[in-house]
Amino acid sequence: MPEVIFPGPEGRLEGRFSPGPRPRAPVAMILHPHPQGGGTMNNAIVLALYKTFVKRGFATLRFNFRGVGKSQGVFDNGIGELSDAASALDWVQSIHPEAEVTWIAGFSFGAWIGMQLLMRRPEARGFISIAPPANMYDFSFLAPCPASGIIIQGEADEVVTPSATQKLVDKLRTQRHITIEHKTIPGANHFFANEMPQLMKEVDDYLDFRLAPGCPIR
């Protein structure tokens, strides 16, 4: 799990990168929760997502947004963080230019940034959004959402209201040519403090389905 430093829009960005085991390995990038709420690339959910993509043979990057850890710059309310994410994906793709598939995963604030990145990167074929903060940020930019993916919510989330997430899911499901999976973890709070195994089972079941050779979703 080598530490990497790569150029971002406001200076250096710090990450952890696991190269792909083959030249055309798929690429995955994991985005962390809100920097001002203590979010970093070492968040437990970010780490678990990172490990599951590495295990599946993806070239996988998690990194700190500007102003977090060794990453330079200051918090920019999501605008600069989206630029950070775009630079990070550029960096991974410079190492794996022949990657056939790109996935973007994010937790909370990171899910919001990740879904914005989807709109800019047509090569992204799938996403995992955990507790996307649909009651705090505007998700209307997903018009239309360009890729299929899964949204996972805690039933007892005290930060992101399940009803706001349901509304987002319902809206996305009216769009053609994509399939949105939605799972709610019973009893889970925003951080899935006691439900990490259930959370990661949903992630792994979905990836098993999407990455299977005969999957109807492309």
Side-chain angles (χ1 to χ4, degrees):
M1 202 185 298
E3 178 180 348
V4 292
I5 299 286
F6 54 90
E10 290 294 311
R12 296 190 309 272
L13 293 172
E14 170 195 23
R16 299 289 182 275
F17 180 60
S18 177
R22 57 190 177 87
R24 297 173 72 91
V27 161
M29 187 166 70
I30 323 295
L31 302 172
H32 71 71
H34 205 295
Q36 295 190 318
T40 78
M41 65 175 174
N42 295 321
N43 167 271
I45 291 172
V46 171
L47 201 49
L49 289 167
Y50 178 88
K51 286 177 177 173
T52 204
F53 276 105
V54 169
K55 191 176 69 187
R56 293 166 182 277
F58 279 69
T60 310
L61 174 71
R62 59 192 165 97
F63 74 96
N64 281 328
F65 289 124
R66 57 185 61 197
V68 178
K70 296 178 187 170
S71 291
Q72 294 178 316
V74 294
F75 179 67
D76 194 32
N77 296 299
I79 298 164
E81 287 72 19
L82 176 57
S83 296
D84 293 344
S87 293
L89 192 51
D90 287 344
W91 180 81
V92 179
Q93 289 173 340
S94 72
I95 295 170
H96 282 275
E98 296 179 355
E100 295 163 338
V101 177
T102 298
W103 277 69
I104 297 168
F107 167 41
S108 194
F109 175 85
W112 178 57
I113 298 294
M115 294 187 89
Q116 290 180 77
L117 190 62
L118 284 178
M119 296 298 296
R120 296 179 167 205
R121 307 302 283 252
E123 68 273 24
R125 296 271 288 281
F127 69 85
I128 296 169
S129 284
I130 297 173
N135 57 329
M136 299 177 182
Y137 296 103
D138 183 5
F139 279 77
S140 62
F141 57 81
L142 293 166
C145 179
S148 296
I150 187 170
I151 293 174
I152 307 176
Q153 171 82 25
E155 181 188 48
D157 193 325
E158 70 290 6
V159 177
V160 177
T161 53
S163 60
T165 304
Q166 186 64 58
K167 213 158 138 187
L168 172 63
V169 169
D170 292 344
K171 183 182 169 193
L172 294 179
R173 282 180 170 168
T174 65
Q175 298 179 11
R176 297 165 64 189
H177 311 303
I178 60 164
T179 304
I180 303 297
E181 188 75 24
H182 180 216
K183 296 291 183 181
T184 300
I185 308 291
N189 67 10
H190 187 63
F191 298 98
F192 300 84
N194 302 308
E195 291 81 14
M196 279 291 284
Q198 296 94 308
L199 171 64
M200 291 313 297
K201 183 179 187 312
E202 293 293 0
V203 169
D204 283 319
D205 286 353
Y206 184 70
L207 287 172
D208 286 346
F209 165 66
R210 282 294 304 274
L211 301 176
C215 179
I217 303 171
R218 284 282 158 243

